[in-house]
Amino acid sequence: MNHAKSEAAFERAKRVIPGGVNSPVRAFRSVGGTPVFVREANGCMLVDIDGNAYIDYVMSWGPLILGHANPLVIAAVRDAAERGTSFGAPTEAETELAELVISMVPSIEKVRFCSSGTEATMSALRLARGFTGRSKVIKFAGCYHGHGDAFLISAGSGALTNGVPDSPGITEGVARDTIVIDYNDAQGVWNAFARYGEEIAAVIVEPYVGNMGLVLPLPDFLPALRAACTRYGSVLIFDEVMTGFRVAPGGVQEREGITPDLTTLGKIIGGGLPVGAFGGRGDIMSRLSPEGPVYQAGTLSGNPLAMAAGLATLRGLQNPKVYPHLEELGLRFALGMSEVLTRHSVPHVAASRGSMVGFFLTDGPVTNVTDAKRSDTALYGRFFHAMLDRGVYLAPSQFEAGFLSTAHRQLDVDRTLEMADAALTAVFAAPRGSH
Ligand code: KE4
């Protein structure tokens, strides 16, 4: 494939944008090579500025469950835009989307819209701290909740020592209030509560992790989080920015039957436009300004175009055939990819939940970030590029999940699996070090 225009575009972008991208994962640093610059996309197909077409499994990292440029979404956005793009005043579209979100996620009694998942998780944590009057938060290694300071923290030397900043610019003061525990370590959670219980404002978790790659909870993990938060009066926050409306109409909390106190949302509820949201128990949400004292605000929160895109997207998911179809498609991808990797004797773990899929190039089980990091990232990089050369756009990192949509057909998945077989044949035939 020819990528000359993307290569030139990347050099130009790097002169005016740090790293040439507006979000780091897009720079292909984890897989090497030059990111493809996108010209357009439709359905499950992405086309770059050199005219190369790809079956897309990134799908903008999750929002596009109805596919790129879905006609219903485009029409809704176009119609809204012709009536103005932003008012800084309430609109009925915000109420309509709030009512639809609440109808799909029973644990949410009230919801506040913002403009990104990062805003949603930052605000949910501030609200939990304001509601409880406590400072500490528990998060889990490998889970990503956006780039809010409180979440860019790694585990300290010992599981119960203060966290350490994951990035320059984050203060010791912030790190001190974040406790980092291994995902799936239920005993570790109880130990932390035994030590800090009355100081813990919240536990925040990706109930199915997408940001390590797809990592699933062991049977005792989510119930332990629920029980510990109930026992100590802490707020359980399910970060469903990625999994909300993705793995089930009501997200992981519907599939697993665990009720969080707050839920953060994003991606799908914006249908590709900037939206985040957080919501949950009415007694907690009532503490939010202007009803309560916990301040939170946003110029473009509830933006009319984003509300229109979100409404069109969620309405497109109301057909009862949609989720069973997506579940089957996700399974077809995961099982098929596992068969191909087995055929090429590649140790791996593959999984799917709804239309969220993932595979690790390491033997299993993968239950936490330590397991995930055993993956053969060099092989993943070579596989990624061999697939890109064959018209399949996977996540440009081993530590991300993949996403299908209602626009992906069985034949698109089957073609992807054929290309995976050819890609691995090429990878193992090529001299090491080439990609
Ligand atoms: P945003 O601020 O990027 O809208 O959302 C942050 C966020 C919060 N919580 C979860 C569970 C998330 O997955 C995300 C963002 N996901 C990444 C994908 N790994 C966005 C891609 C990117 O950073 O460019």
Side-chain angles (χ1 to χ4, degrees), residues 51 65-66 76 149 155-156 159 184 196 211 221 225 228 236 244 292 294 313 339 376 400 404-405 434:
I65 196 166
L66 298 187
D149 282 4
N184 275 319
Y196 296 107
N211 289 288
F221 184 57
L225 302 187
L236 177 57
V294 179
T313 299
E339 280 169 22
D376 185 341
E400 294 286 354
L404 291 91
S405 74
S434 63

Side-chain angles (χ1 to χ4, degrees), residues 78-226:
R78 181 180 290 124
D79 173 58
E82 285 165 357
R83 290 182 279 115
T85 55
S86 177
F87 312 115
T91 66
E92 291 175 296
E94 294 157 81
T95 309
E96 285 170 37
L97 185 55
E99 289 168 346
L100 188 46
V101 166
I102 288 167
S103 72
M104 294 176 76
V105 189
S107 70
I108 298 180
E109 294 177 271
K110 284 196 175 174
V111 64
R112 167 63 59 84
F113 293 115
C114 52
S115 296
S116 71
T118 292
E119 264 195 275
T121 56
M122 280 169 55
S123 307
L125 177 56
R126 181 181 312 128
L127 179 58
R129 286 171 161 160
F131 176 74
T132 59
R134 303 175 184 178
S135 301
K136 290 195 183 298
V137 57
I138 291 178
K139 79 168 290 281
F140 298 92
C143 288
Y144 176 68
H145 304 292
H147 60 87
D149 282 4
F151 305 123
L152 295 183
I153 307 290
S154 294
S157 52
L160 295 185
T161 59
N162 293 337
V164 295
D166 237 356
S167 160
I170 294 171
T171 66
E172 293 303 321
V174 167
R176 162 174 329 123
D177 284 330
T178 300
I179 300 163
V180 182
I181 297 173
D182 264 343
Y183 189 78
N184 275 319
D185 182 2
Q187 190 52 55
V189 171
W190 284 113
N191 294 346
F193 270 97
R195 169 89 179 271
Y196 296 107
E198 307 304 334
E199 297 177 59
I200 296 172
V203 173
I204 187 167
V205 67
E206 288 188 67
Y208 292 167
V209 186
N211 289 288
M212 288 187 231
L214 177 57
V215 176
L216 297 167
L218 295 172
D220 68 341
F221 184 57
L222 297 179
L225 302 187
R226 180 61 281 168

Side-chain angles (χ1 to χ4, degrees), residues 22-26 60-62 115-121 143-147 205-206 208 210-211 239-243 264-267 275-276 399-401 403:
N22 287 305
S23 199
V25 70
R26 304 177 189 172
S60 182
W61 300 104
S115 296
S116 71
T118 292
E119 264 195 275
T121 56
C143 288
Y144 176 68
H145 304 292
H147 60 87
V205 67
E206 288 188 67
Y208 292 167
N211 289 288
D239 180 356
E240 297 221 46
V241 165
M242 191 182 275
T243 55
T264 54
L265 297 167
K267 297 182 191 278
V275 182
F399 305 115
E400 294 286 354
F403 304 96

Side-chain angles (χ1 to χ4, degrees), residues 375-409:
S375 301
D376 185 341
T377 51
L379 175 56
Y380 184 87
R382 295 203 304 279
F383 179 57
F384 170 85
H385 281 285
M387 289 291 269
L388 199 68
D389 291 345
R390 288 166 178 77
V392 178
Y393 191 80
L394 297 174
S397 165
Q398 163 66 101
F399 305 115
E400 294 286 354
F403 304 96
L404 291 91
S405 74
T406 55
H408 287 77
R409 301 156 301 173

Side-chain angles (χ1 to χ4, degrees), residues 332 335-348 414-425 428:
R332 191 180 188 93
L335 295 174
M337 187 61 78
S338 183
E339 280 169 22
V340 170
L341 290 164
T342 300
R343 198 177 309 145
H344 290 267
S345 308
V346 177
H348 66 278
D414 293 347
R415 172 157 179 74
T416 299
L417 298 172
E418 286 166 32
M419 292 304 102
D421 195 27
L424 285 169
T425 300
F428 290 123

